[in-house]
Amino acid sequence: MIKLDDIRRHAARRPDHTAIVDRDVRLSWAQLAEQVSRVASGLAQHLPEVRPARAAFISCNSWELVVVTAACATLGVPCIGLDYTNTPEATIGTLEQLQPTVIITTPLRRPLLEATGWPGDRDILSIHLAGPQEGDFDAPGAPTPPGTVTYDELAAFEPAYVEPVEQPFTAFSFTSGTSGIPKLVVRKTSFEARRLSDLVDQFSFDEDDVHLVTVPLYHSSGPGWARIFLSLGGTVVLSPYEDAAEMARLILDEGVSTTLMVPPVLNRLISHPASEHLHKTSRLRFLLSGGRHLNRWVINTTWDRLGPVLHLYYGTTETGLNTMIGPEELHVAPARSGRPMPGNTLVALDPENRPLPKGRLGRIAIASYQLMDSYATSEPDFLVLDHGGRTQRYLLTGDSGVIDEGGRLELSARNDGVSTAEGGRALDVNIFALEDDLTGLPCVRETAVLRVSRPDLGDALIVAFSPISPEREESGERAIRATCARMAPNLPTHVVSIPAVPYSPTGKVRAGVLLETVLPLISQEAESAKQLAGAR
C-alpha cells in the first residue's frame, strides 16, 4: 500500500476527494491521511523489537485493512495477506515461511489463526479489526481476543512523525498454492515505480479514475492494482466478489472506470441481468482479467455487455505482469495472452533449454525487471540465455505455450501443481484449447481439465464438468469423450460430472480440492467396470 507522505500529498491537493469506498464508509483523502497517521503512530508504539519486522493479515477486504497496510508501508514493514480459505495446515506453512512479527485478523477469520497455534508464546503484535467482513456482519460488541490490540486503540493515538524501521527493503508475496502449501516469493528491490510509469504511459490512468477491487487483498494483484490508482490520487472502491448485482451497481453508481476481475468473477457479472446495459450507462473503460484462459463466450459476452474494455494478461507471482492483449485483438485472437509488456522478454524453450523458433511448443521462460530473487525455502530455476541479441537472466516457468509469428504468447497449459512441465518438456496437450472446445459444447456449463500422472491412473486426463441440467449429463459425457479422443487421442480420459468447479477467490481452479472430489468417483467407476466385466 502507499505511504503516508503520498497520502498527505493527495490530501493537500484534493482533501475532500474520495479515496476509499467500502460499503457505507467513504474516506476522503484528508480523512485517510488522519487515520493512517494515527494508526502508524499506534503501530510504532506497539511494534515488537524483533527484527526483521514483518506483518501478515488474515482478513477480508475492508477500509480498516487498507489503513493498517498503509501504516505498515509508512513504517517500512512489509505486509502480506494470507489466503483465508486455506486449511490450517497450509496456513501454518505460510506462517512458518514468513515468520511475521505482526498478525492482523478479524472475528470472522480469527478461528483460522487459532487453529494454527499461532502466535503461541511468540513475541508477536496481534491486531484485531472488528468491522463487517465480506457480507458477514460481526455481532456488535464481539469480544476482543486476549492479547490483541484493536483498530480503535491504534487509531486513538495522536498523529505524529514516525521513523521507519531500520531494515533492508524486502517485498513478499505468496503463490496461489491451489494444490499444496503456497510458496513465499522474495524480492530485494521494488519494481513498482517503473511498472506504474509504464502502465500510465500505455493506458493514460490518472487521478480521476475510479478503480473497483473485486479480488481479495491477500492476492498480489489486489493491492498491486489498488496501489496504482491510490498513487495517482484516484479512488478505490472495495466490492464483494460474490455479488454480481452489487458489482454492477457499484460500477454504475460510483462511476467505476477501471477494474480487475478474475475469470469466474467476470463470468458471474456478465451472466447477471444487471450488467446488460453497462456498455451504455457506465464509464468503465478498462477491465483486466487473468489467471486462467478465457473462452470465446466470455470474450464475446463481455464486449456485448460492457463494451470494448476487456484486457487479458499473463503473469505469475514470481515474474509479475508479463504480457497483455487488448479488446480488439482479443476479439479476433481469443486464444492469445498478448505481447510482452515493456521490460519483459518471453521465449519458448526445448527440452535442452534452447530457444525455439516462433510457432513451436515449449516451456515458457521469462526475463523481466519484475523477476523474483528467490523463494523462502527453495531455489527457482534461473537461466542465462543469449536470445534476440541480448544476454539476459530468465526464470524457467512450468507453463507451456507458443510464441506466434506476431510475437504473441499462446499458452497451452499453466503449472497447476498436478502435472507440470517436467524433465525439460512442455506439456504436449493444449489444455486451454481443449477446455475452450469443451465449454463450447451445448450440454456443458463449465469444465476443468487436469493432466495427471499417478500410479493408479498412469498418464491421463481428468475432465471434471458441470452439465447444464441433470438430463444432459449423459449426453455431455459422451460429447466430452468424443472431443478428448479427437484432441488428445494418446491419453486415456476420465470424465466426471460434478456440481461445480471449485475456484479460489483469486480465480484459480483448486486442483487439490478437485482431485479429492473426483478420484474416489473414478475409482468407483473403475471398480464397477471390473465387476461388470467379471460378471460377463
Side-chain angles (χ1 to χ4, degrees), residues 63-282:
W63 68 269
E64 292 175 321
L65 181 61
V66 173
V67 171
V68 173
T69 54
C72 287
T74 301
L75 291 174
V77 177
C79 185
I80 178 173
L82 308 185
D83 183 351
Y84 48 71
T85 66
N86 264 336
T87 63
E89 292 74 22
T91 305
I92 291 171
T94 58
L95 289 168
E96 293 292 346
Q97 292 176 74
L98 182 63
Q99 292 293 321
T101 56
V102 178
I103 296 181
I104 304 152
T105 57
T106 68
L108 185 62
R109 304 302 173 189
R110 180 81 186 185
L112 175 60
L113 179 65
E114 292 174 348
T116 68
W118 280 67
D121 57 358
R122 300 172 180 87
D123 185 12
I124 289 178
L125 170 62
S126 183
I127 299 176
H128 179 80
L129 308 182
Q133 301 292 315
E134 202 174 276
D136 294 299
F137 290 83
D138 301 312
T144 302
T148 62
V149 177
T150 67
Y151 177 89
D152 288 342
E153 288 173 326
L154 293 176
F157 278 76
E158 289 299 317
Y161 175 77
V162 291
E163 288 281 354
V165 173
E166 291 188 10
Q167 59 186 24
F169 173 87
T170 312
F172 300 102
S173 51
F174 278 108
T175 60
S176 59
T178 50
S179 59
I181 295 176
K183 293 181 180 179
L184 181 62
V185 172
V186 181
R187 288 181 172 87
K188 300 296 181 61
T189 57
S190 174
F191 57 75
E192 295 292 342
R194 179 175 176 181
R195 189 169 71 175
L196 173 64
S197 177
D198 288 342
L199 290 170
V200 169
D201 287 345
Q202 187 167 355
F203 299 108
S204 301
F205 298 140
D206 61 29
E207 62 185 10
D208 293 322
D209 275 314
V210 178
H211 180 71
L212 185 71
V213 176
T214 68
V215 295
L217 291 176
Y218 69 71
H219 191 264
S220 57
S221 64
W225 281 88
R227 188 161 50 243
I228 289 171
F229 297 97
L230 291 176
S231 297
L232 295 171
T235 301
V236 166
V237 179
L238 304 181
S239 168
Y241 66 81
E242 79 288 350
D243 189 340
E246 178 64 5
M247 282 189 286
R249 185 195 70 79
L250 289 170
I251 289 172
L252 194 60
D253 292 355
E254 298 295 340
V256 169
S257 57
T258 75
T259 187
L260 181 149
M261 293 184 181
V262 296
V265 173
L266 174 59
N267 197 345
R268 197 175 297 138
L269 175 65
I270 61 176
S271 300
H272 196 281
S275 68
E276 182 177 2
H277 301 297
L278 287 178
H279 66 287
K280 295 186 293 187
T281 56
S282 78

Side-chain angles (χ1 to χ4, degrees), residues 319-333:
T319 63
L321 174 65
N322 304 127
T323 72
M324 193 178 296
I325 186 169
E328 288 79 9
E329 196 171 16
L330 184 61
H331 204 59
V332 298

